Amino acid sequence: MKHEGMDGIESFESPGKGRGLRATRPYRIGDLLFSCPAYSHVLSVSERGYICEHCFTRKEGLAKCGKCKKAFYCNVECQRGDWAMHKLECSAMCAFGENWCPSETVRLVARIIATLKVQKDRSASEKLLLLKDMEANLDRLDNEKREMNEADIAGLHHFYSKHLDFPDHQALLTLFAQVNCNGFTVEDEELSHLGSAVFPDVALMNHSCCPNAIVTYRGTLAEVRAVQDVGQGDEIYTSYIDLLYPTEDRIERLRDSYYFSCDCRECKTKSKDKAKMKLRKLSDGPRPEEIREMVRYARIIIDDFRRAKHEKNILFTATLLEMCELSMDKMGAVFDESNVYMLHMMYQAMGVCLFMEDYDSALSYGEKVIKPFSQLYPAYSLNVASMYLKLGRLHVALGRSSAASTALKKVTEGKFHLCI
Ligand SMILES: C[S@@+](CC[C@H](N)C(=O)[O-])C[C@H]1O[C@@H](n2cnc3c(N)ncnc32)[C@H](O)[C@@H]1O
Ligand SMILES: [Zn+2]
Ligand SMILES: [Zn+2]
Ligand SMILES: [Zn+2]
């Protein structure tokens, strides 16, 4: 029997890209193309206590699970609704105590396995693509990726064996590869990471660095909206990565995580690369080898910082801030303030200042970043809207109501993609 499918959107074979999604009627900027409930989702450990585990609503006064005291819910309905998932972790968290530390991917996969057991029919998240048919790119995994998947499988057995029957090893390898290639990180309106989820229909979208659609979240529902007009028959593309960076960096990231070479307009023309790599104005500009060396340094420091950030604690924030300041000093000898590597460190410094509740410093970093962000990201970018939102909220916190309303107006100009 033919299943229902979706109004206005269909799946098709996109030449050179596997399956893709395309519009069967025209859409205008801002239109909702479709929405998709999470097939499975998991809240980040760091968000516990602030957000309901079941529906991802952020509010004060959530009620905690009486047994483990680690999961929090809006009310009894949410707690009941979540039990089939939470029971995978509730007693294990008590038993393992401090040593309970599965990765978020492992936690998500455990929930997928539990859902697969009970979900026999096509779910509302699979109108066009079944979870089991998601792309795995198995033949493209290198040894490093295989070893990472093996480590995740070991973690799954270690933390979840009491409450789950696992499929065989090969099926688990496939499942982890599928989740790595098709999983989504769920973010709030300020782009803070809330958790991870799978949305099979949304995962049918291929990537472009000049996307005509974006994905936002309302609780655990993914909403896909047009950020360019979409003609009948046009393929619908979203971006898998942060689009701030120059072509070479984007291509490397896409190859490493998704195993393809992007051939979008921006990757071909590199039209924004010069502005993204803007150099400091000097009478005799930096030599090519100086530039190359500084780019190499920038990439290393970005990686080092990402690793260091994971050890988030109050004492550590001073070190993180120092890393940002030292690297900006060094890079500033060659790069302009609007160079993306400088912007990257300013953005990180802003995050550290927010964490330390130093709102004046956070604001001054944010104000340096916003103009180049608006020029370097595509139109209707979530990164730009969320930066205006952060600035608006900072102005509010600092009692500057007129600056706050100017910033918040910028958010509402593109309000279709932010539910604030
Ligand atoms: C989330 S899936 C997208 C749907 C996928 N095409 C399918 O058939 O299931 C991601 C994978 O699709 C392929 N893909 C996505 N965007 C692409 C692009 N712009 N060019 C080539 N392949 C792409 C890559 O194999 C990538 O790992
Ligand atoms: Zn709830
Ligand atoms: Zn519990
Ligand atoms: Zn591209």
Side-chain angles (χ1 to χ4, degrees):
M1 196 175 72
K2 197 173 181 303
H3 66 272
E4 237 180 77
M6 219 184 256
D7 258 359
I9 310 284
E10 66 182 6
S11 120
F12 78 117
E13 276 306 312
S14 175
K17 303 185 172 75
R19 295 156 298 187
L21 281 188
R22 74 180 162 200
T24 56
R25 66 172 176 83
Y27 291 91
R28 305 296 303 269
I29 293 184
D31 284 351
L32 178 70
L33 300 176
F34 66 100
S35 57
C36 176
Y39 180 93
S40 283
H41 64 272
V42 65
L43 184 74
S44 269
V45 170
S46 57
E47 288 297 330
R48 281 188 168 152
Y50 307 108
I51 289 183
C52 172
E53 300 259 338
H54 184 58
C55 70
F56 274 25
T57 299
R58 186 188 290 277
K59 65 175 170 199
E60 309 236 314
L62 295 170
K64 65 176 157 219
C65 168
K67 202 168 154 218
C68 65
K69 304 193 169 38
K70 289 186 192 302
F72 290 76
Y73 299 99
C74 300
N75 49 38
V76 173
E77 282 77 60
C78 280
Q79 183 166 17
R80 280 208 195 109
D82 200 50
W83 179 242
M85 295 297 127
H86 180 57
K87 75 174 183 201
L88 303 170
E89 297 183 337
C90 185
S91 55
M93 285 194 288
C94 299
F96 280 94
E98 295 270 281
N99 297 322
W100 189 84
C101 56
S103 71
E104 199 162 294
T105 308
V106 167
R107 296 181 62 213
L108 181 62
V109 167
R111 284 157 191 249
I112 294 172
I113 294 169
T115 310
L116 279 165
K117 288 246 154 59
V118 291
Q119 182 72 52
K120 293 298 172 211
D121 301 324
R122 187 177 276 271
S123 71
S125 318
E126 303 170 299
K127 290 185 178 156
L128 300 175
L129 179 71
L130 290 169
L131 178 120
K132 70 174 182 52
D133 294 333
M134 291 191 311
E135 179 62 80
N137 281 317
L138 270 185
D139 49 342
R140 296 186 187 165
L141 303 192
D142 58 18
N143 282 342
E144 195 189 335
K145 291 270 159 34
R146 267 175 226 282
E147 276 165 25
M148 278 160 66
N149 286 351
E150 293 290 355
D152 275 341
I153 292 175
L156 187 69
H157 283 286
H158 186 62
F159 292 109
Y160 293 87
S161 50
K162 204 148 174 231
H163 293 283
L164 265 184
D165 294 324
F166 301 116
D168 65 36
H169 195 74
Q170 190 53 44
L172 282 179
L173 278 173
T174 305
L175 190 51
F176 274 105
Q178 286 173 312
V179 169
N180 288 334
C181 173
N182 296 271
F184 287 80
T185 57
V186 180
E187 287 146 352
D188 68 7
E189 69 281 4
E190 286 194 13
L191 296 188
S192 295
H193 178 94
L194 302 186
S196 298
V198 271
F199 303 95
D201 287 337
V202 186
L204 261 180
M205 271 188 293
N206 286 317
H207 164 92
S208 166
C209 307
C210 18
N212 53 9
I214 54 167
V215 184
T216 58
Y217 304 95
R218 196 183 286 273
T220 60
L221 183 77
E223 295 186 329
V224 179
R225 282 177 198 274
V227 286
Q228 294 179 36
D229 288 339
V230 178
Q232 181 174 351
D234 285 357
E235 176 154 6
I236 299 163
Y237 293 105
T238 191
S239 171
Y240 296 176
I241 56 168
D242 188 330
L243 294 175
L244 182 65
Y245 303 95
T247 307
E248 201 187 320
D249 296 26
R250 296 195 309 278
I251 288 191
E252 194 183 313
R253 175 78 217 286
L254 290 166
R255 265 212 205 106
D256 182 57
S257 301
Y258 299 98
Y259 316 102
F260 70 91
S261 308
C262 189
D263 66 351
C264 76
R265 193 183 66 237
E266 191 50 39
C267 283
K268 280 195 200 118
T269 64
K270 306 182 164 79
S271 72
K272 290 189 173 167
D273 278 12
K274 194 148 182 251
K276 289 180 174 186
M277 283 304 301
K278 194 160 176 204
L279 303 174
R280 193 172 156 189
K281 277 195 199 73
L282 297 166
S283 48
D284 50 345
R287 285 170 290 124
E289 60 272 24
E290 270 180 297
I291 302 170
R292 267 198 302 276
E293 183 52 35
M294 201 54 85
V295 169
R296 214 175 65 84
Y297 166 79
R299 290 178 180 159
I300 291 171
I301 196 79
I302 286 174
D303 268 358
D304 287 353
F305 187 88
R306 187 180 303 125
R307 271 191 292 273
K309 211 165 87 172
H310 281 298
E311 297 170 36
K312 220 181 189 178
N313 71 46
I314 269 289
L315 286 178
F316 206 62
T317 51
T319 319
L320 287 179
L321 202 54
E322 209 174 275
M323 257 175 116
C324 294
E325 282 162 358
L326 286 176
S327 65
M328 283 188 278
D329 266 357
K330 184 169 159 123
M331 291 190 295
V334 171
F335 297 154
D336 184 80
E337 278 222 323
S338 66
N339 179 296
V340 293
Y341 298 123
M342 296 288 276
L343 295 176
H344 179 102
M345 292 324 286
M346 284 184 222
Y347 183 80
Q348 297 302 332
M350 181 185 186
V352 178
C353 292
L354 282 171
F355 185 71
M356 298 189 330
E357 299 181 10
D358 175 357
Y359 296 146
D360 283 304
S361 305
L363 188 63
S364 79
Y365 282 121
E367 286 187 323
K368 281 191 189 160
V369 157
I370 189 63
K371 195 163 159 231
F373 262 30
S374 318
Q375 289 159 350
L376 299 177
Y377 276 111
Y380 302 105
S381 160
L382 281 175
N383 301 73
V384 176
S386 74
M387 180 51 81
Y388 273 121
L389 181 61
K390 280 185 192 170
L391 290 178
R393 288 178 173 172
L394 277 169
H395 283 303
V396 170
L398 293 167
R400 301 176 189 158
S401 54
S402 120
S405 79
T406 310
L408 293 173
K409 212 179 275 157
K410 288 280 192 187
V411 183
T412 42
E413 275 169 18
K415 74 170 182 299
F416 59 83
H417 53 59
L418 282 179
C419 31
I420 51 168

